[in-house]
């Protein structure tokens, strides 16, 4: 089976890896399985072996065991990136390249870099490191793999936004870091993955045992697929024969006969049972040119069914069915073959042989599943016979002329050469006729050559009788050689025709992509798609997309006057909503005269391509399906590129509006501050002659207005990126006491309880920004807390993380909308409460906290009615105490 010659494509891929670094990915089913720990452990082991290893970026998430592994290793400092008033810390790619280690440890491969970075994704940073010859160890969870993103979301109800393309995993060595679900759940409960409050919520949602089991299976299967693909690439590069059945690979051979759909369904059951990829294969031989419309329709329906059931579809040109199947099985390293055997007479099998028997005999190492299929109708059998097409009149005339020419030449040379060489001359017109005009013309030339040789050269000359028995043998041999030569020449011509057809298809796709790849206008690209598909497939074409009114609008059409009928609209809508083919020739809404094919990028349906024949009949012939699939894929890529370009323009417009808004806020704020200064100064002078109540009112309102203006100024500074940090060690007890004192007017009517242990460690922070954060949190608690209720400020240092929380006793936050309170100008107020405020205070808290490297959370209290807002200080900002951390 197959040739031992190395695969040129595999050799090129192997050659492309020369000089590049090697990527190893630690793949896990979920957070907490120990990917980062395993990566750091292997990095430390390599370092002990003398390998130059650096930690380019690692996220410990406060886990003590992981932090212990980082200590003692060389860590490249991160690069600070200013973004919208915040300071983000990303991997310093240039520093790692300049350091040029042998191995770099890069955590969280799916991470999105801060805006303004050289690459938007961390895996692109890794690709640059690999191109520089640096080996990389990295980590990723299975839900971040692009092709499995929607599968994971279907049962976890969580869709992650950061993904890694599958091609990155396919080029990497994969190590699965796996622990049983029960053990991972115990780690969660013990607080080794998340903080206890977050762990409880995670256990009831993402980290259920059923979810973890499914994620674990996905991780193991995806790793097995990657290993199988890499193994196949290696054996192809080495030219090794055999199936190398590390995993099952199924192929089903389909044809135009009735019952082929049953073969596809059987192959689907085999693939599901073996959990392997499968391909529906059609061998396109010269006899396919004689298919009837019914045969084309059955073949197209079978291919469509295979696609809907999840198979890859392949059409392979070959002069012989057995040869084509064997070559495909060898190239695909298939382990299972599903095929049908129709009822044939003994005489038919004696004359033509059995395809099934030949495959079983000549394809060792492949399990062949043979299913009985109904015999072909007599009309289809006659249409599908391998009889060659009849020759043309001009072909027969040219063959006769060539035979006459050879005869004339032979008569002229009869006295120079012997009869045997003259017989060889007659092979020339036989080969030329078979090559130029087909098998029948070649056979005609062979018979004519034998008769001419007998009549003009074999004694008695001028008759068709032969006197010498040796000449009889010469005539018979000449006829046999002529017939065999005709067959061989005809086969060569058939192969040339198949190769020419394949070359035309490739040229067609290249021309199609070249025409539309440079278009920047969506409407023009859509019209070009319709025009090119109509020209290439000789069909009517319409391209539809979803309108803002939730209906389908015609984006472009080959006929500008076309309008959708009711059934057509239903089929097009179903194709757009489900992402599956609908309409004529499919299994859904087949009463429509149009076939609608979705144009998809990932899981997003961009548009629907409608195809129909102007004279009726099937929209697409079976032999056109591979070309249509390629055209659809290329068109989808172009539309996705245009969509992304439009989104980038929209993002730039939003940024421009934000800059204008920041400028407006800054201007208004400065105009308001001048009269405020005068009011506050006058209020201070009233102490000498006004009542205390009046003075208190003026001061209270002036301070409120001053706080409002300060918030406007702070937001303008955040959005302009003008924050300047002055970081120093801060005592949280003093910070909380000072903020509670300054917020006493906002907290009037509330009992204030401070629950901040005096032995909390110092933290690295900007005192002024931290003071603003606490003031806004206390002001928010005073505004939304019930009258007479208590406001609690508590500090806790657990699991290496420090949390400073402000708790009120009020209506709380709407469920599921906790994070919205941090959006600029957003106020979430209950129906039973009307509170003032601009929606800036909590947005400023979040911006200031992130600028200092802290986090901020919002949630409803679990111990009472009300809300809890917390500043989260990561371990990196906590000042280490010489005597150990507080518990």
């Amino acid at each position: 089976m197959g040739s031992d010659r190395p695969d040129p494509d595999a050799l090129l891929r192997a050659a492309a890896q020369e000089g590049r670094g090697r990527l190893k990915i630690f793949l896990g089913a979920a957070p907490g399985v120990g990917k980062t720990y395993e990566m750091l452990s292997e990095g430390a082991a390599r370092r002990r072996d003398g390998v130059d290893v650096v930690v380019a970026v690692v996220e410990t998430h406060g886990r003590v065991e992981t932090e212990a592994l980082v200590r003692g290793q060389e860590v490249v400092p991160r690069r600070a990136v200013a973004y919208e008033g915040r300071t983000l810390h990303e991997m310093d790619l240039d520093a790692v390249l300049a350091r040029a280690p042998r191995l770099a440890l890069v955590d969280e491969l799916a991470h999105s870099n801060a805006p303004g970075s050289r690459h938007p994704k961390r895996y692109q940073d890794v690709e640059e490191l690999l191109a520089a010859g640096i080996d990389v160890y990295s980590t990723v969870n299975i839900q971040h793999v692009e092709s499995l993103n929607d599968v994971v979301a279907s049962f976890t109800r969580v869709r992650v936004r950061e993904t890694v393309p599958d091609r990155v995993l396919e080029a990497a060595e994969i190590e699965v870091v796996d622990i049983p679900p029960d053990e991972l759940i115990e780690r969660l409960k013990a607080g080794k993955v998340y903080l206890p409050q977050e762990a409880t919520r995670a256990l009831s949602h993402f980290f259920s045992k059923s979810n973890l089991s499914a994620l674990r299976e996905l991780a193991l299967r995806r790793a097995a697929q990657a290993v199988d693909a890499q193994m196949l690439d290696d054996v192809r590069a080495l030219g090794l024969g055999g199936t190398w059945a590390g995993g099952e690979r199924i192929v089903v051979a389909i044809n135009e006969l009735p019952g082929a759909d049953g073969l596809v369904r059987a192959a689907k059951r085999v693939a599901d049972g073996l959990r392997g990829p499968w391909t529906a294969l059609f061998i396109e031989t010269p006899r396919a040119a004689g298919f009837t419309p019914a045969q084309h329709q059955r073949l197209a329906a079978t291919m469509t069914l295979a696609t809907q059931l999840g198979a890859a579809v392949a059409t392979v040109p070959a002069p012989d069915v057995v040869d084509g199947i064997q070559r495909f099985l060898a190239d695909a390293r298939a382990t299972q073959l599903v095929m049908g055997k129709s009822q044939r007479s003994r005489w038919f099998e004696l004359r033509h042989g059995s395809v099934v028997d030949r495959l079983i005999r000549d394809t060792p190492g492949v399990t062949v599943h043979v299913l009985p299929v109904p015999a072909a109708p007599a009309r289809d059998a006659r249409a599908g016979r391998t009889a060659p097409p009849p020759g043309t009149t001009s072909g027969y005339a040219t063959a006769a002329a060539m035979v006459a020419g050879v005869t004339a030449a032979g008569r002229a040379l009869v006295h120079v050469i012997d009869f045997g060489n003259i017989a060889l001359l007659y092979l020339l017109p036989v080969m030329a006729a078979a090559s130029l005009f087909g098998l029948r013309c070649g056979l005609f030339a062979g018979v004519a050559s034998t008769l001419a040789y007998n009549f003009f050269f074999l004694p008695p000359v001028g008759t068709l009788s032969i006197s010498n028995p040796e000449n009889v043998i010469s005539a018979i041999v000449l006829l046999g050689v002529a017939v065999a030569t005709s067959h061989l020449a005809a086969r060569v011509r058939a192969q040339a025709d198949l190769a020419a057809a394949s070359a035309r298809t490739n040229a067609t796709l290249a021309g199609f992509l070249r025409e539309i790849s440079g278009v920047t206008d969506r409407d023009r690209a859509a019209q070009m798609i319709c025009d090119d598909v109509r020209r290439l497939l000789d069909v009517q074409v319409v391209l539809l997309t979803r309108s803002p009114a939730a209906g389908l609008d015609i984006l472009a059409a080959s006929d500008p006057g076309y309008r959708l009928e009711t059934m057509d609209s239903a089929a097009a809508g179903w194709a757009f909503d489900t992402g599956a083919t609908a309409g004529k020739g499919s299994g859904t809404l087949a009463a429509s005269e149009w076939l609608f094919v979705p144009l998809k990028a990932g899981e997003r349906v961009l548009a629907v391509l409608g195809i129909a024949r102007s004279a009726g009949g099937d929209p697409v012939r079976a032999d056109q399906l591979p070309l249509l699939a390629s055209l659809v894929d290329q068109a989808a890529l172009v539309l996705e590129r245009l969509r992304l370009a439009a989104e980038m323009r929209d993002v730039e417009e939003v940024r421009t509006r934000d800059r204008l808004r920041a400028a407006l806020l800054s201007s208004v704020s400065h105009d308001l501050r001048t009269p405020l200064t005068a009011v506050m100064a006058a209020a201070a002078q009233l102490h000498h002659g006004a009542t205390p109540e009046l003075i208190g009112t003026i001061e209270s309102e002036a301070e409120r207005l001053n706080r409002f203006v300060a918030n406007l100024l702070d937001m303008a500074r955040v959005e302009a990126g003008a924050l300047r940090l002055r970081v120093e060690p801060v005592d949280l007890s003093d910070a909380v006491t000072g903020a509670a004192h300054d917020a006493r007017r906002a907290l009037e009517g509330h009992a204030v309880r401070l629950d901040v242990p005096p032995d909390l460690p110092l933290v690295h922070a900007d005192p002024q920004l931290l003071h603003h954060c606490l003031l806004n949190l206390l002001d928010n608690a005073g505004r939304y807390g019930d009258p007479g209720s208590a406001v609690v400020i508590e500090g806790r240092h657990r699991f290496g993380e420090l949390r400073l929380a402000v708790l009120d006793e009020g209506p709380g936050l709407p469920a599921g909308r906790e994070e919205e309170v941090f959006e600029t100008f957003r106020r979430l107020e209950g129906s039973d409460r009307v509170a003032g405020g601009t929606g800036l205070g909590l947005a400023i808290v979040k911006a200031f906290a992130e600028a200092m490297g802290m986090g901020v959370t919002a949630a409803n209290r679990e111990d009472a009615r009300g809300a809890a807002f917390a500043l989260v200080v990561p371990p990196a900002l906590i000042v280490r105490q010489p005597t150990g951390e507080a518990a």
Side-chain angles (χ1 to χ4, degrees), residues 148-160:
L148 299 176
N149 183 258
D150 59 324
V151 178
V152 174
S154 66
F155 60 83
T156 63
R157 302 296 186 268
V158 176
R159 181 181 291 275
V160 297

Side-chain angles (χ1 to χ4, degrees), residues 204-249:
S204 61
H205 294 87
F206 186 87
F207 284 84
S208 66
K209 186 174 182 180
S210 59
N211 285 350
L212 293 177
S213 298
L215 291 169
R216 189 185 186 198
E217 181 181 5
L218 281 177
L220 294 173
R221 288 176 59 186
R222 186 63 185 84
Q225 292 175 7
V227 171
D228 185 65
Q230 292 168 6
M231 179 268 295
L232 289 179
D233 212 40
D234 290 340
V235 298
R236 286 169 179 158
L238 296 174
L240 302 178
T243 58
W244 295 85
E248 300 291 344
R249 295 175 285 275

